[in-house]
Amino acid sequence: MTYRHPDLLERVPVAAGTPIQDGRMVAVSRTSLPADLANALEANKCLTARIRQLEKRLSSQLGESVWSESGLGAPVDIDQLQRRINLLEENSPREPDVLAVALLGLQRRT
């Protein structure tokens, strides 16, 4: 992020012209800095996208938790049975005995 710091930016040409000292593996050059900056910006984009994904997931889970704890939604077992009934109706609308059994199970729980 040397582009934001003029004092560091002034030191780049000096560092580029200085020979590598013993024990150092990499030298900084004018061509390596833009590549490093591009890589850092790309990594920042990936991290930002991941943070947004995690925020959406957390928000969804917190919303479901608050909804179930508030008592506004149907109890879990009734909700599961209703989903099962809907699934059975979509997949096999011509089998009334399966639907009747599912409805009977739902009525017993309420």
Side-chain angles (χ1 to χ4, degrees):
M1 299 286 172
T2 57
Y3 65 94
R4 291 187 183 172
H5 302 281
D7 56 328
L8 293 176
L9 193 56
E10 292 171 3
R11 294 169 63 186
V12 170
V14 174
T18 306
I20 300 173
Q21 298 174 356
D22 290 335
R24 290 190 135 192
M25 301 297 288
V26 180
V28 175
S29 68
R30 284 191 176 273
T31 55
S32 70
L33 289 176
D36 288 344
L37 177 60
N39 288 336
L41 292 174
E42 188 62 32
N44 189 19
K45 286 179 187 177
C46 291
L47 290 172
T48 301
R50 179 68 175 146
I51 288 170
R52 284 191 185 124
Q53 179 186 28
L54 291 172
E55 285 174 340
K56 286 176 84 174
R57 187 171 152 199
L58 177 63
S59 175
S60 174
Q61 289 180 349
L62 285 174
E64 288 176 12
S65 174
V66 168
W67 178 259
S68 66
E69 289 177 13
S70 70
L72 295 174
V76 176
D77 56 343
I78 293 176
D79 191 41
Q80 289 173 348
L81 285 173
Q82 188 62 45
R83 288 184 194 159
R84 178 82 175 134
I85 290 169
N86 291 338
L87 179 67
L88 291 171
E89 286 175 345
E90 290 172 5
N91 293 334
S92 57
R94 296 182 185 166
E95 296 182 21
D97 352 332
V98 176
L99 293 176
V101 170
L103 280 171
L104 184 59
L106 179 62
Q107 289 171 349
R108 286 182 187 162
R109 292 183 182 243
T110 56

